[in-house]
Amino acid sequence: MDDSGLFTVTLRSRPWKTYVTGYQKGEYPVFGRGWSPDFPDAENFIAPFVGQQNALGTPYLSTRITDVLLPESRRESDRADVVKEFEDAQQVLVDDARLLPLWQGRQYVAASDDISGGEQSLDPSTIMMMWELYRKTSW
């Protein structure tokens, strides 16, 4: 229960296939889902979550974002010049309260004993630097 007493939370586990089908059908009023960006660009924190075929599999149509703001931002190669478009897109997301991003600061790499570089392969921007991993040749 929340310390304020405002609400009670009951956590339930589901098999992955049941879970995915359930949240895509809207069966869960609140659900958690992991995601990390492909590369550090503001678009990677907005575009995957809007549109009919979004990363969550839960259609969210915002024509202001998909038809205006994202296309405008994509015409600009200097990403520092698209701050206004992404501020506007973030405001649309806030106003709709469709998605609540939560930052989880732990990252993990699982590797066998013959793989090295795991400590260097993760960075604070959540980009996995695969080129840091290598097979140990001798000890």
Side-chain angles (χ1 to χ4, degrees):
M1 177 187 293
D2 175 57
D3 288 343
S4 71
L6 183 62
F7 56 89
T8 301
V9 175
T10 303
L11 298 177
R12 294 189 180 127
S13 179
R14 300 279 186 272
W16 178 249
K17 193 172 186 176
T18 303
Y19 174 72
V20 170
T21 302
Y23 79 69
Q24 288 177 341
K25 288 181 178 179
E27 293 176 7
Y28 312 125
V30 177
F31 63 90
R33 183 76 203 275
W35 175 87
S36 60
D38 296 327
F39 51 89
D41 185 286
E43 180 169 328
N44 243 332
F45 294 89
I46 293 176
F49 306 108
V50 296
Q52 187 66 31
Q53 299 294 323
N54 67 36
L56 297 176
T58 56
Y60 167 53
L61 305 177
S62 171
T63 56
R64 172 92 177 120
I65 295 174
T66 57
D67 297 348
V68 179
L69 298 171
L70 288 175
E72 284 177 10
S73 77
R74 291 172 181 157
R75 286 191 281 275
E76 182 58 59
S77 61
D78 185 348
R79 304 312 283 160
D81 290 341
V82 293
V83 171
K84 174 85 170 90
E85 287 82 356
F86 287 110
E87 286 176 343
D88 290 353
Q90 287 174 338
Q91 190 60 53
V92 170
L93 293 170
V94 166
D95 291 343
D96 288 352
R98 175 88 167 118
L99 178 69
L100 176 63
L102 300 173
W103 183 261
Q104 187 251 340
R106 293 180 186 233
Q107 298 175 334
Y108 301 92
V109 172
S112 64
D113 289 341
D114 63 333
I115 302 296
S116 190
E119 302 82 8
Q120 292 81 29
S121 67
L122 300 172
D123 80 354
S125 68
T126 70
I127 303 300
M128 180 150 185
M129 298 174 287
M130 299 293 287
W131 56 89
E132 295 289 348
L133 299 173
Y134 60 92
R135 185 172 304 281
K136 298 174 189 173
T137 55
S138 66
W139 284 97

